[in-house]
Amino acid sequence: MRIYSTKAENRKEFQRMISDCKAGRVDRIVTKSISRFARNTVDCLEYIRMLKALPNPVSVFFEREGIDTLDEDSEIMLTVYSGLAQEESRSLAESISWGKRKLAQRGIFNPSQKRYGYDYDPDGNWVINPAQAEIIRRMYHDLIAGKNTSRIAKELSEEGIETVRGNKIWSSRTIDCMIRNPTYAGRFIYQRFYVKDTLKGRAVENHGELPQYLIEDYHPAILSP
């Protein structure tokens, strides 16, 4: 579960506020703390400078730190305090990851990201989605029959079959990732991917940088091993 985003561009309400500032609908922002405004030093300073440079400048007051961007010395204090907020954000993300690893070591883990082919029951357990499971079996049968992933993706797209995100355009890369995923055999591997940089929030494939944990019979299998 994502508790919050460390990247300002992913914070929809924050971006809506910035748009209102640019449109001249906001004169001043009052926020509880720097960590609520931005969890990244670069983001914090960039947005403050941008707001001050608008045709109708917008000032920001941080209640907890007592910093007002109308003051000349505010940028020095912002650099210090936003650096602390950034470190706090990084530390929290690492603590959450550590907790998840410990659960995975015990064979206990409940990934929040939805997987194609499965739904959740009221207790949060994975249950097979019959219609999607049939598409998954079809992918494997087509592959064994000699079709490549590009052709499989093209046919699914032409038939208007929805992906896990609800769009109707499939890519060969998506198909490739799915047919290599042990999830469909009832297995779950924790940390196949991991976030290398908590500030960028970008997941990369794990090639041995971190331990992986295989949980057998974690959920109902759609395919045999």
Side-chain angles (χ1 to χ4, degrees):
M1 179 175 61
R2 293 193 69 177
I3 306 301
Y4 51 72
S5 174
T6 56
K7 298 186 290 184
E9 60 265 31
N10 291 339
R11 298 166 61 195
K12 292 182 180 179
E13 291 304 307
F14 180 85
Q15 291 301 327
R16 185 168 69 88
M17 178 184 70
I18 294 299
S19 296
D20 286 343
C21 291
K22 291 178 178 179
R25 292 192 285 267
V26 178
D27 298 315
R28 184 167 173 79
I29 297 170
V30 177
T31 181
K32 182 178 179 180
S33 66
I34 291 173
S35 63
R36 296 296 296 272
F37 183 80
R39 301 176 183 89
N40 178 312
T41 305
V42 174
D43 277 351
C44 182
L45 295 177
E46 284 186 350
Y47 278 98
I48 291 299
R49 289 168 182 166
M50 181 272 291
L51 291 170
K52 291 172 71 174
L54 291 174
N56 296 309
V58 177
S59 62
V60 183
F61 177 67
F62 301 92
E63 292 182 324
R64 179 183 296 171
E65 294 83 5
I67 298 174
D68 192 329
T69 58
L70 289 173
D71 298 336
E72 292 183 3
D73 297 332
S74 64
E75 187 159 317
I76 296 174
M77 297 302 295
L78 278 172
T79 302
V80 174
Y81 278 106
S82 59
L84 293 173
Q86 176 177 309
E87 178 59 23
E88 180 183 5
S89 175
R90 185 196 62 79
S91 178
L92 178 58
E94 290 184 355
S95 295
I96 292 171
S97 294
W98 180 87
K100 289 181 177 179
R101 281 197 297 272
K102 290 302 178 182
L103 287 174
Q105 287 175 12
R106 295 161 52 195
I108 304 169
F109 189 71
N110 187 21
S112 57
Q113 183 180 1
K114 191 178 187 305
R115 298 297 198 279
Y116 191 87
Y118 292 95
D119 295 319
Y120 290 109
D121 68 13
D123 296 322
N125 301 309
W126 289 21
V127 292
I128 293 174
N129 179 308
Q132 293 181 356
E134 200 55 42
I135 298 300
I136 291 165
R137 295 188 188 101
R138 169 183 164 179
M139 289 179 188
Y140 282 86
H141 292 154
D142 286 350
L143 193 72
I144 292 169
K147 294 181 182 180
N148 60 31
T149 55
S150 295
R151 182 176 172 186
I152 295 171
K154 183 173 183 291
E155 290 178 355
L156 292 175
S157 299
E158 288 175 346
E159 292 175 32
I161 294 170
E162 292 187 351
T163 68
V164 70
R165 295 182 178 178
N167 63 57
K168 297 180 180 179
I169 302 297
W170 292 78
S171 69
S172 60
R173 183 175 181 277
T174 297
I175 305 296
D176 187 62
C177 288
M178 290 176 70
I179 61 176
R180 295 173 186 273
N181 195 333
T183 293
Y184 300 120
R187 300 168 173 172
F188 184 78
I189 297 180
Y190 176 64
Q191 269 182 179
R192 286 181 67 218
F193 297 85
Y194 72 103
V195 177
K196 189 173 184 179
D197 187 332
T198 55
L199 291 177
K200 293 181 179 178
R202 194 171 298 164
V204 296
E205 192 167 357
N206 185 359
H207 293 291
E209 293 86 354
L210 294 173
Q212 295 184 346
Y213 304 96
L214 173 63
I215 305 175
E216 294 276 10
D217 299 320
Y218 177 79
H219 52 273
I222 292 174
L223 304 164
S224 68

